[in-house]
Amino acid sequence: MTGTSSPDRDTAGRIRRRELLHLLDHSHDFALTLLLAPAGFGKSTLLQQWQRHRSDSRVAWLTLDAGDADPVRFFRRMGQTLRQTIPRFDTVSYNHLSAEIALPATAVAEALEQAFAAVEGDLYLLLDDFQHARHPLIQQVMALLLERLPAHVHFVIATRIHPDFSLSRLKLDDRLLLIDGHDLRLTAAQVMELGQQLGLELDQAQLEHLLTLTEGWMAGVKIALLAQARTGRQTLEDFSGRQPEVVDYFAHVVLRDLSAAMHDFVLCTAALEQFDAALCDAVLERDDSAGRLNSIMEQALFLQETGNRPGWYRYHPLFQDFLENRLRIEMPERLERLHVAAAEYLLRQEEMDMALAHARQCSPRAFLRVLRECCAWWLRKGDYPAIIRSLEPLPDEQIMEESDLLLPLVGALILSRRFNQARYYLDAINEQGPAREGRFSDDSTPTFLDTMLQVFQHDTDFRLQEHNAVLLSSCRHHDIRAFALAIIAYHYLLHADFAQARQYGLQAKVVLGQLGYDYLESYADLILILCDRNTGHIFPAIERAENFMERLRSRPNTPAWVNARIAVGIVRYEQNRLDDAQRLCEELIPLVNTSCATELIVAAYITLSRLLALKGEQTRATRLVEQLKRILQLGNYDRFVAQVACEELLQALMREKIQGTHKGEAIERIARQHQLPERLAAKTWVENRAYDEGWERYGLATALYLRSRNRLGEAEGVLVRLSASLRQSGVRSRVLIIDANLAVVRYLRENHSGAIELLQRLIEEHGLICINRIVFDEAPGLVDVMRLAQKQQSLVFPEIYLAVFEDVFMPAAPAAIAHPAPALSAALTGKEAEILEFLQQGLSNNEISQASGVALSTTKWHLKNIFAKLGVANRTAAILRAAQLPMQKPLH
């Protein structure tokens, strides 16, 4: 059981509502249990009690707040909550990059459906205060997900307002349990129990009077009883019980009974949406806030633990509104001072979003000062989405006047691949001149920003002149100089000038570290790791990655930490620690955003996709690749699309090997999508080239395609050309991959001596340690060459090496004895068998429709028939079932 967002204790004024707990026990029989009632009906308290009541069940709890109107934050927090209960839950459904590419609700819902289908045993997901999740995408995903939720997964949602999706289908299918305000009303016995907890004995007349006035509304009953406990019987007789008068009435009674110091404390803390004792101490300039908060909790004055952060509180919304109004009336002169003090304290605590929320309640001057500090901090930490989110609403004139806003915004837009918006501001700078105010009001700023835009927008198509690089790296503004060093190092890395990239990268790392720019320092680390890796210095690359991660271990979930974890994840994959690598990648994908280097975004998605494919989870693997393809549409990323082409072909070859088939339809489709036959016909790989990553990756993809078609001579010709070009450029890591594939092709051509000779040369040049899991997976069949060399005693591999890669070297198991089993396709039509094969390849419904040439509605109809014939309820189960049964010729 997980209670990530629910308090563990009952406080004064809470009663155990046994009949409702029993009703909630029936949520096991429903896809959705909906607690629908206005504030004050005790929904959250009831769920807390039920969670403890079901301590033997797997329950994941998430309390939402206003920030969960953002789909990225909502799905990330939901995934984190689920992973605390189910550590291997697939959380890669939605992140900042998904938002950038406008990933449709159907894709998100399908991914979540498959993740829930993989969960074994019953699971309850409790979403409290769901009224905050108002974004249309969240509502659409929930609607789609609830329609196809696996039977062992149950959603329990508490909300003040009706969800923005229809419940009709769920009602018709008897999959909805609705608990509304009528069900949540207090009974006479419960009112008596509540009164006794507060030291009151109600007579029958008082009880009937209170129930008549409040109609069992828990907040109203509790308010009246608390008021009577403080002031006597007459208070209850004068009580009206109407909303909102009931809250005002109670608050007046409560406030007039408080000491002057407590009265002041309660009113002033109402300026804070949520708070802990330290924040209260700082804002109110006192040191006894912890004791006062405990006193308020003991008196049941509608103070609630937030649940999301231990030790943090908020007032019940009904009481909060009243207190804020009283604060404006009684202490108007203190209101801004309270917000300023809160903003300053939260800035010191690096709670930038909360600080900015308070600053918005202050004067424009105070707001701008806090905004500058937030942007400076976000720039140092690499939180570019926060910069864009906070600055985009401001007028352009204000941004253009403030270099402390302009540089962070333009830099964030460039690194977020929003090049047209960045160009808009740069054109405005050229027309109006540089910003006059702020620490970046330097003549070098426009030149730097323009160069940065050229590097990232045009990628390898842009060439920086040497004299411009020297000029930028020696400008007098120390921050601009540090930024320029990192950008120049990256530029040289793109063009395989590893000596220059290392030189500038080392300088950038030192200066950025001194200035506190954690994220850009991590960028320099990545450049240095890639320089080492590309030039074949594997041990320095591993050591730098491990040190990188160790340095950032105390700063989890920051963009720099994400960069470091991805680098280490790839190292774990190379070392054949596949479970560790998969765990790291699965944890990181939800945190990947536009701040991350494109190289690492691609590496994270491809690595996790490949790891899933190796375990036979083809649907998830394909989904990741498809998402990556959409992400790469955001920029000029042909070289990364070429990596995707390679990966799709490698995984298609892997599937064929696992399934023992050589039909090649999937391989042919991938080759056509990436125009590999056309590239081959255009003689793209006839002559050597200077380093061109896209040319090399498409070349490898083409060689893999030719190999699958048994056109081995042509495949060898392409690989020989690639190898020669890469050797000239000094990209040793890619030489290793290409030559490993060349050895495999020679082996397949039965040139065994040539294959073994090339393998020996590879080991002499690179070292056996460099032939790691990545090489085995990107040169499928290399292990066969190594087995042959070992068998012929041409090479002897150390025992420790064979132990590390035992799963690779292990001979294929003999085919199992076939036992009679119902044929999978005996009952399927030809079209159904075809669609099932597409389903096994991980295609979405839309992609199946395109590949099979039928309408989407027809595809869905065929899938429904397939599910029925296989006796399953969803896609994942169909794929698993299909893997268990033999194929026969389908019916026609």
Side-chain angles (χ1 to χ4, degrees):
M1 184 193 71
T2 298
T4 61
S5 300
S6 60
D8 293 330
R9 61 173 181 166
D10 281 330
T11 55
R14 291 185 177 179
I15 57 173
R16 189 170 179 82
R17 310 188 68 183
R18 294 172 181 81
E19 77 291 348
L20 288 176
L21 293 176
H22 179 68
L23 182 58
L24 277 173
D25 282 340
H26 288 284
S27 60
H28 179 273
D29 302 321
F30 299 90
L32 172 63
T33 299
L34 183 66
L35 282 70
L36 177 61
F41 271 90
K43 300 183 296 296
S44 298
T45 301
L46 176 63
L47 288 180
Q48 291 162 16
Q49 292 177 350
W50 184 73
Q51 185 190 29
R52 286 191 288 273
H53 170 66
R54 295 300 298 258
S55 59
D56 58 337
S57 302
R58 287 195 299 180
V59 180
W61 174 303
L62 177 62
T63 298
L64 307 184
D65 57 37
D68 291 303
D70 174 11
V72 174
R73 185 175 189 266
F74 171 81
F75 288 115
R76 184 183 71 240
R77 293 185 67 224
M78 188 175 84
Q80 290 170 342
T81 299
L82 286 162
R83 281 185 80 95
Q84 291 183 31
T85 304
I86 305 164
R88 298 309 300 269
F89 187 82
D90 178 14
T91 59
V92 300
S93 59
Y94 202 79
N95 57 24
H96 278 284
L97 294 172
S98 305
E100 286 286 323
I101 62 175
L103 193 68
T106 51
V108 182
E110 186 174 296
L112 285 169
E113 176 199 354
Q114 292 166 3
F116 281 118
V119 173
E120 295 181 0
D122 286 322
L123 170 68
Y124 299 86
L125 176 60
L126 275 57
L127 299 176
D128 195 12
D129 283 338
F130 189 73
Q131 69 275 359
H132 291 299
R134 299 290 292 176
H135 195 283
L137 178 70
I138 298 174
Q139 299 287 323
Q140 292 166 17
V141 169
M142 294 299 290
L144 291 167
L145 183 58
L146 286 167
E147 283 186 9
R148 20 176 148 159
L149 200 64
H152 61 281
V153 180
H154 317 279
F155 277 36
V156 181
I157 293 177
T159 177
R160 296 177 199 163
I161 58 177
H162 197 288
D164 288 338
F165 54 83
S166 174
L167 302 175
S168 302
R169 179 68 178 270
L170 291 171
K171 289 179 182 176
L172 287 173
D173 294 342
D174 197 23
R175 300 178 69 226
L176 171 67
L177 173 61
L178 178 62
I179 302 174
D180 59 16
H182 178 80
D183 302 306
L184 291 165
R185 291 174 180 174
L186 291 177
T187 64
Q190 289 166 344
V191 174
M192 289 290 288
E193 182 182 349
L194 187 55
Q196 289 167 0
Q197 286 190 11
L198 297 170
L200 297 173
E201 289 294 339
L202 301 178
D203 59 34
Q204 190 63 30
Q206 288 176 313
L207 179 60
E208 291 177 0
H209 175 64
L210 188 53
L211 282 173
T212 300
L213 291 174
T214 62
E215 297 182 338
W217 177 48
M218 177 176 279
V221 170
K222 187 175 176 181
I223 285 168
L225 293 174
L226 284 167
Q228 179 172 345
R230 289 174 176 277
T231 60
R233 179 186 182 99
Q234 188 61 40
T235 300
L236 185 57
E237 292 175 355
D238 294 340
F239 183 65
S240 70
R242 295 191 304 272
Q243 301 182 55
E245 292 91 339
V246 65
V247 180
D248 289 357
Y249 177 82
F250 162 70
H252 281 297
V253 171
V254 170
L255 290 180
R256 77 186 182 200
D257 195 41
L258 293 175
S259 67
M262 185 62 89
H263 175 279
D264 186 73
F265 181 86
V266 170
L267 276 191
C268 290
T269 51
L272 311 172
E273 183 177 348
Q274 52 182 288
F275 45 86
D276 66 352
L279 175 57
C280 294
D281 281 344
V283 171
L284 302 180
E285 299 179 350
R286 61 195 311 146
D287 59 6
D288 62 349
S289 297
R292 293 194 179 276
L293 289 171
N294 283 334
S295 177
I296 293 172
M297 286 291 286
E298 289 169 1
Q299 295 179 63
L301 295 185
F302 285 78
L303 185 67
Q304 304 173 334
E305 292 176 285
T306 62
N308 298 329
R309 306 176 66 175
W312 281 73
Y313 302 88
R314 63 181 174 89
Y315 289 112
H316 191 286
L318 295 170
F319 197 32
Q320 175 90 21
D321 291 342
F322 171 84
L323 292 176
E324 285 187 292
N325 290 331
R326 295 306 306 170
L327 178 60
R328 292 189 186 95
I329 295 169
E330 296 185 24
M331 306 178 187
E333 74 288 347
R334 293 195 62 179
L335 194 55
E336 175 152 348
R337 294 206 307 273
L338 292 169
H339 283 300
V340 169
E344 290 177 348
Y345 171 81
L346 291 165
L347 282 175
R348 293 193 298 272
Q349 301 303 309
E350 298 183 348
E351 296 280 1
M352 299 300 163
D353 287 325
M354 291 177 66
L356 204 54
H358 282 286
R360 289 191 177 98
Q361 309 301 317
C362 304
S363 66
R365 183 176 180 180
F367 168 68
L368 191 57
R369 180 181 59 79
V370 173
L371 181 59
R372 287 193 201 102
E373 291 196 40
C374 287
C375 286
W377 190 85
W378 287 326
L379 185 61
R380 288 195 297 273
K381 303 304 175 185
D383 193 350
Y384 303 127
I387 294 174
I388 296 171
R389 183 176 66 246
S390 300
L391 295 183
E392 274 191 325
L394 297 185
D396 288 342
E397 305 77 40
Q398 187 175 10
I399 292 172
M400 294 299 299
E401 291 173 358
E402 290 274 348
S403 69
D404 291 344
L405 306 181
L406 181 61
L407 181 136
L409 177 59
V410 176
L413 289 170
I414 293 171
L415 290 171
S416 300
R417 303 155 189 85
R418 295 164 71 166
F419 303 126
N420 291 336
Q421 288 175 271
R423 173 53 63 192
Y424 166 81
Y425 284 105
L426 287 174
D427 289 345
I429 292 173
N430 291 332
E431 291 179 12
Q432 303 173 25
R436 296 182 295 276
E437 301 293 334
R439 61 195 184 97
F440 294 118
S441 55
D442 187 270
D443 292 341
S444 61
T445 299
T447 303
F448 162 71
L449 289 174
D450 189 72
T451 302
M452 182 179 177
L453 176 59
Q454 297 272 21
V455 168
F456 284 94
Q457 183 173 17
H458 300 296
D459 203 53
T460 55
D461 294 337
F462 175 71
R463 283 275 184 181
L464 180 64
Q465 297 300 315
E466 179 64 26
H467 68 277
N468 288 333
V470 173
L471 183 65
L472 276 172
S473 63
S474 58
C475 66
R476 65 178 183 273
H477 193 293
H478 51 280
D479 293 73
I480 298 295
R481 176 174 175 270
F483 303 157
L485 288 169
I487 300 307
I488 294 167
Y490 179 64
H491 171 73
Y492 283 124
L493 176 70
L494 294 183
H495 293 284
D497 190 340
F498 301 121
Q500 290 275 54
R502 183 179 286 108
Q503 175 189 332
Y504 281 104
L506 287 168
Q507 293 180 57
K509 177 172 167 54
V510 171
V511 180
L512 289 165
Q514 292 171 346
L515 294 174
Y517 286 99
D518 293 351
Y519 175 72
L520 287 175
E521 183 189 2
S522 80
Y523 214 91
D525 276 305
L526 291 174
I527 291 168
L528 294 171
I529 290 169
L530 290 171
C531 284
D532 286 337
R533 186 176 296 281
N534 280 317
T535 52
H537 298 98
I538 189 71
F539 284 118
I542 292 173
E543 183 179 9
R544 193 179 294 277
E546 298 287 0
N547 291 339
F548 184 16
M549 185 65 255
E550 190 60 37
R551 189 180 82 240
L552 292 164
R553 193 175 299 280
S554 62
R555 286 170 273 177
N557 300 330
T558 62
W561 178 87
V562 170
N563 281 351
R565 296 279 280 189
I566 294 174
V568 170
I570 293 168
V571 169
R572 298 289 178 269
Y573 170 38
E574 289 176 327
Q575 296 168 335
N576 205 33
R577 295 165 60 179
L578 303 188
D579 289 339
D580 289 345
Q582 182 176 338
R583 177 180 53 80
L584 283 168
C585 290
E586 286 179 332
E587 289 174 357
L588 290 169
I589 291 289
L591 300 174
V592 168
N593 61 32
T594 51
S595 299
C596 296
T598 308
E599 281 79 1
L600 285 194
I601 293 172
V602 173
Y605 273 79
I606 282 182
T607 300
L608 181 54
S609 177
R610 186 181 299 170
L611 291 168
L612 292 169
L614 286 168
K615 291 189 173 183
E617 298 184 48
Q618 194 55 51
T619 300
R620 290 178 64 195
T622 302
R623 185 174 72 240
L624 280 167
V625 170
E626 290 303 318
Q627 285 190 22
L628 179 58
K629 287 160 74 172
R630 296 185 64 159
I631 291 167
L632 294 176
Q633 294 173 7
L634 298 173
N636 177 27
Y637 295 131
D638 188 58
R639 62 193 177 99
F640 296 123
V641 175
Q643 288 191 37
V644 172
C646 268
E647 188 59 30
E648 289 185 299
L649 281 164
L650 285 168
Q651 291 191 26
L653 287 168
M654 189 189 306
R655 284 196 302 274
E656 284 200 349
K657 182 178 180 181
I658 292 171
Q659 296 170 0
T661 62
H662 299 283
K663 297 179 181 179
E665 292 94 338
I667 291 174
E668 197 65 49
R669 175 172 51 81
I670 294 165
R672 288 198 305 270
Q673 284 178 354
H674 294 282
Q675 300 179 320
L676 300 186
E678 291 84 351
R679 296 175 193 271
L680 189 64
K683 300 183 178 180
T684 306
W685 296 280
V686 170
E687 298 179 357
N688 288 5
R689 282 194 189 182
Y691 181 66
D692 181 333
E693 185 177 356
W695 178 79
E696 180 255 311
R697 297 290 180 134
Y698 277 127
L700 177 56
T702 300
L704 291 169
Y705 166 65
L706 291 169
R707 168 183 155 179
S708 74
R709 302 278 76 89
N710 206 32
R711 294 161 61 180
L712 300 176
E714 293 174 84
E716 182 168 353
V718 171
L719 291 168
V720 167
R721 184 64 60 203
L722 293 176
S723 178
S725 297
L726 289 168
R727 287 180 182 278
Q728 289 176 3
S729 303
V731 190
R732 288 171 54 84
S733 62
R734 297 306 302 169
V735 170
L736 175 59
I737 297 292
I738 296 302
D739 282 356
N741 275 280
L742 185 55
V744 174
V745 169
R746 288 178 179 172
Y747 172 83
L748 294 173
R749 298 187 75 184
E750 299 186 359
N751 180 5
H752 293 173
S753 60
I756 293 174
E757 182 183 336
L758 181 53
L759 176 61
Q760 290 171 324
R761 193 176 79 190
L762 284 179
I763 294 173
E764 289 171 5
E765 286 185 8
H766 302 275
L768 182 61
I769 191 65
C770 289
I771 301 182
N772 54 40
R773 184 60 193 246
I774 287 181
V775 179
F776 283 120
D777 289 340
E778 293 190 7
L782 178 64
V783 70
D784 296 326
V785 183
M786 297 179 76
R787 284 199 198 104
L788 178 63
Q790 189 176 31
K791 181 179 179 180
Q792 295 183 356
Q793 298 184 344
S794 302
L795 287 168
V796 177
F797 303 116
E799 289 298 323
I800 190 170
Y801 181 83
L802 295 173
V804 169
F805 297 104
E806 181 181 6
D807 58 324
V808 178
F809 277 87
M810 188 181 298
I817 299 173
H819 294 284
L824 171 62
S825 296
L828 300 184
T829 66
K831 181 57 73 174
E832 287 168 355
E834 178 187 359
I835 287 176
L836 178 59
E837 186 172 341
F838 287 134
L839 188 68
Q840 289 176 286
Q841 294 171 16
L843 273 63
S844 68
N845 289 355
N846 284 328
E847 290 167 336
I848 292 174
S849 297
Q850 294 173 5
S852 60
V854 300
L856 180 60
S857 58
T858 306
T859 295
K860 292 180 178 179
W861 181 77
H862 282 309
L863 285 171
K864 185 182 291 186
N865 288 340
I866 291 168
F867 294 167
K869 291 177 180 180
L870 296 180
V872 298
N874 55 53
R875 298 166 62 95
T876 303
I879 293 168
L880 293 173
R881 180 66 173 155
Q884 298 169 353
L885 298 175
M887 291 290 294
Q888 285 184 6
K889 186 177 180 180
L891 298 174
H892 292 282

